[in-house]
Every structure is written in C-alpha cells, then in structure tokens.
Amino acid sequence: MWIALVVCLALLTINVVVGVYVERKLSAFMQDRLGPMEVGKWGLLQVFADLLKLFQKEDIVPASAQKQLFLLAPWIIFLAVFGSFSVIPLSSGNFLQGSQTEMGVMLLMGIVSLDSLGILLAGWTSNNKYSLLGAIRSAAQLVSYEIPMGLSILCVVLISSSLNLQEIALQQGIFSQQTNYLFGLSFLDWDVSQVGGILTWNVVRVPFFFFLFILFFITSLAEANRAPFDIPEAESELVGGFHTEYAGMRWALLFLSEYGMMLLVSVLGVILFWGAWYSPFPNLGSLRLADWTNGTPGTITATVLGFIWLMLKTYILIAIQMWVRWTLPRLRVDQLMYLCWKVLTPAALVFVAISSIWSMFM
C-alpha cells in the first residue's frame, strides 16, 4: 500500500506538469496559435518556469481572514484528492494495488466528498464576498453532481456484485475467475472469459454501460470543476472564485488538486467501464494477443504492462476533458442545476433499475 501511495504522489506531481503543458498546447492548436514556445525547446520548460515563479511568490494572508483555517483549507482539498488514491488499483500486481478494503467504492466516495468542505472553508475564511460566492456555488455543484455520479457507480456495483475496486477491475479480463459471456448474455453461452480484450470490458459485456459512461463522464467534469461546469472558478464573474485570495504555492496546491481530481475521475472511469489495466487486444485462436499484452498474473511484467495500459486509457479521457473545456461554453447556474436534477439524476435512476434487472436475469 505504501508503495502505491508513493507512486500516486509522484503521479500527481508529474500529472500536473504534463497536464498543464499538454492543455496549453492542445488549446493553442484548437485556436490556431502556437502556445508556449519561448522557454526551452517547444516551450517544454515553461511549466518549470511557472513553478519557479510560484515558489518565489510571497505567501500573502489577508488581514481580515481567519488565518489558521485559511491556511488549512488548501491542504484539506489536496488531501481529499490524494487520499482517494489509496483505494485505487493502479495495476494487477500486489505492489500497485492500494488498499484491499472490500468497501473501496464507499470509502472513495466518502473521501472525495471532503473536497467540498475544503472549498467552503477556503471561501468563507478568506473574508471576501467573491470567494464566498464562489465557494457556495462550488459546494452546491459538487453536492448535486455527486448524486448522479454515485448512482452511475452503483450500476457497476450491481453488475459486479462487489464494492471492491480491485475485484471490479479483475472481472474485466483474462485474469478473472468468473465466466464472462459475450455482451453479458448468458443464455447464448458464448464464453469469452479466456478471449479477453475489449470483449470482457464492462462497456461491452453490459452494452448499455456505454451510455451510462457518458452520464458518468459528464458528472466527472462537474466534480473536477472542468468546463462547462467551471462556475466555481468563473474568473470573468467571480474574480477567481473560491481561491481569489490565495497566492504562491497555496494557489499552486489548489491547482495541483484540480488536476489530481481530473486524474482521479479518469482512472475511476477506466476501472469501472473501460477494462481497468487490461489491454484491448483479445486472444484470437493461436494468436494470443491478450496473453502477450497482459503478461502472466502476479509477475512484474504484468504489473508494468497493467500500469501502462491503465495510464494510456486514463490520459485519453483526460485529453477528452481538455477537448470539452476548449469547445463548450460555461453553463449558467440554473442550466447546471437543471441538467443535474431534471436530466442526469432521473436518467441515472433509470440505469439503476435496468442494472438491477440485468443482474438478475442475464
């Protein structure tokens, strides 16, 4: 578990460096400009220059702020994101499994929910009306969108009959001990357990999960405060949102938390829907693609290959998050709440009902 946490901390740090550079370049490409070019080859050192600037900035605390709580709030937000990785299985090997708790999904949702507490604390203790307004908006958004997200995760739990993320991941490939049928239709008796690949991923073995994943992805954007759900950070309306009064490394810690949340929800989406650490290649007769690209269970090779496949899928989802940010305009508050309570939540409840029926008869 400790090895997994060290890897997660390194992953969060590398993720923000790579993520900031890639997002700048991706947004520049979409807007027909160059992006960072001056600092280092192709602007590769621009992120490090920004970090150096943040290290040198003075850590200013407003005179009227509640100092102790003001300084504590960014750490609550960061630890809520970082602590959530403790139950995330990063590969099939023992070294990167994280916590083996049987209530992993419940623990994950509980830790992530602490994020809204830190955001409220940051806005309230700043003694700034714009920060407080941003914090209230953010708390309303996070609490609301946790409901359809939780319901979408519940659908996967119903089908998998487990709250253990490791078990949910394990079921979606050739390492699984249970029988997987093509499209989840047991009455057809098309056993694809040893075929593996994409045929045993949840989005294929439970076909309506593809549409459920779209619902999950939309709610994950809201949980990560990503556009078009970035009202908590609406710079043009709220002068920076709940973190208006933060500067230097404490502001950088909040930024690290945002990119960490992007990574967390993307990894979670891959584990729940897109085959976790398994490769997409199936075994085709004597062509044992799944065996070659996943390795032998329990070996270092399988651990490394699993981690690579998981990260590859995760960064595809992160790239889609960035694509959405630079494509869609920000929603108004009323539009945001309408989408959550009148569209996504009823749809998620319908998926829960369908998943219940599917788990009984298929």
Side-chain angles (χ1 to χ4, degrees), residues 8 16 41 79 91 97 147 151-152 156 163 178 188 201 233 241 261 278 280 283 295 315 318 328 337 339 345:
C8 287
V16 72
K41 183 73 170 178
L79 290 175
S91 185
Q97 280 287 327
I147 294 174
L151 291 173
S152 63
V156 180
L163 287 167
Q178 72 175 39
L188 295 178
W201 293 3
E233 302 170 0
M261 183 63 81
Y278 290 109
N283 288 326
Y315 276 97
I318 290 177
L328 300 178
M337 289 303 175
L339 178 64
T345 300

Side-chain angles (χ1 to χ4, degrees), residues 82-114:
F82 178 61
S84 302
F85 280 93
S86 63
V87 297
I88 294 291
L90 295 178
S91 185
S92 59
N94 294 327
F95 295 109
L96 298 178
Q97 280 287 327
S99 173
Q100 300 291 328
T101 176
E102 293 297 326
M103 300 293 290
V105 173
M106 298 293 291
L107 183 59
L108 174 66
M109 294 299 291
I111 297 175
V112 167
S113 64
L114 295 176

Side-chain angles (χ1 to χ4, degrees), residues 6 12 22 45 54 62 77 93 110 123 128 164 175 193 234 291 298 300 329 344 356-357 360:
V6 171
L12 283 174
V22 170
L45 299 179
L54 290 171
I77 298 171
N128 179 311
N164 189 326
F175 299 165
S193 302
D291 294 340
I300 296 296
L344 297 182
S356 302
I357 296 171
M360 287 189 295

Side-chain angles (χ1 to χ4, degrees), residues 23-339:
E23 183 154 18
R24 284 173 170 175
K25 284 294 189 180
L26 184 62
S27 62
F29 172 76
M30 295 179 69
Q31 298 170 357
D32 197 23
R33 54 188 177 84
L34 295 176
M37 290 294 293
E38 299 298 325
V39 186
K41 183 73 170 178
W42 303 304
L44 286 169
L45 299 179
Q46 182 62 57
V47 178
F48 297 99
D50 293 338
L51 287 173
L52 182 62
K53 177 186 71 174
L54 290 171
F55 272 118
Q56 294 175 333
K57 276 193 171 183
E58 184 180 356
D59 187 13
I60 299 173
V61 178
S64 56
Q66 300 185 37
K67 184 175 180 180
Q68 288 76 16
L69 295 177
F70 178 82
L71 297 177
L72 179 63
W75 286 103
I76 294 177
I77 298 171
F78 172 74
L79 290 175
V81 176
F82 178 61
S84 302
F85 280 93
S86 63
V87 297
I88 294 291
L90 295 178
S91 185
S92 59
N94 294 327
F95 295 109
L96 298 178
Q97 280 287 327
S99 173
Q100 300 291 328
T101 176
E102 293 297 326
M103 300 293 290
V105 173
M106 298 293 291
L107 183 59
L108 174 66
M109 294 299 291
I111 297 175
V112 167
S113 64
L114 295 176
D115 180 38
S116 56
L117 175 62
I119 290 175
L120 272 175
L121 201 61
W124 176 61
T125 57
S126 296
N127 199 26
N128 179 311
K129 62 182 179 182
Y130 296 108
S131 297
L132 180 59
L133 182 57
I136 292 172
R137 282 182 167 187
S138 180
Q141 173 178 312
L142 293 178
V143 171
S144 298
Y145 277 83
E146 278 178 3
I147 294 174
M149 172 177 271
L151 291 173
S152 63
I153 295 174
L154 177 61
C155 294
V156 180
V157 170
L158 287 170
I159 297 297
S160 303
S161 301
S162 176
L163 287 167
N164 189 326
L165 286 169
Q166 285 88 343
E167 178 61 28
I168 293 172
L170 194 65
Q171 291 178 9
Q172 300 177 65
I174 57 174
F175 299 165
S176 176
Q177 299 299 315
Q178 72 175 39
T179 303
N180 282 320
Y181 296 99
L182 184 64
F183 303 127
L185 304 175
S186 57
F187 59 86
L188 295 178
D189 200 26
W190 291 344
D191 186 355
V192 292
S193 302
Q194 296 306 310
V195 176
I198 195 172
L199 297 177
T200 51
W201 293 3
N202 274 341
V203 288
V204 175
R205 69 173 187 152
V206 187
F208 65 87
F209 268 13
F210 177 79
F211 303 100
L212 180 66
F213 169 74
I214 295 175
L215 188 152
F216 172 86
F217 182 76
I218 294 171
T219 58
S220 71
L221 292 176
E223 286 295 309
N225 290 335
R226 297 289 296 181
F229 304 99
D230 59 339
I231 285 178
E233 302 170 0
E235 293 89 350
S236 57
E237 297 93 353
L238 300 175
V239 201
F242 65 89
H243 49 64
T244 301
E245 298 294 347
Y246 286 94
M249 286 309 297
R250 295 190 188 277
W251 180 87
L253 191 62
L254 292 170
F255 202 65
L256 175 65
S257 302
E258 178 179 322
Y259 273 81
M261 183 63 81
M262 288 174 59
L263 180 66
L264 176 66
V265 295
S266 297
V267 169
L268 184 61
V270 170
I271 290 172
L272 295 177
F273 297 97
W274 294 98
W277 56 71
Y278 290 109
S279 81
F281 304 111
N283 288 326
L284 301 173
S286 60
L287 195 60
R288 312 298 291 178
L289 296 177
D291 294 340
W292 299 338
T293 55
N294 287 297
T296 305
T299 63
I300 296 296
T301 302
T303 300
V304 173
L305 286 174
F307 181 75
I308 292 172
W309 284 117
L310 182 71
M311 287 297 104
L312 181 61
K313 298 175 197 174
T314 297
Y315 276 97
I316 290 174
L317 291 186
I318 290 177
I320 296 174
Q321 288 184 357
M322 295 177 180
W323 179 19
V324 170
R325 174 182 178 178
W326 297 101
T327 303
L328 300 178
R330 180 181 300 132
L331 297 177
R332 299 194 312 264
V333 175
D334 61 309
Q335 293 173 327
L336 183 141
M337 289 303 175
Y338 178 91
L339 178 64

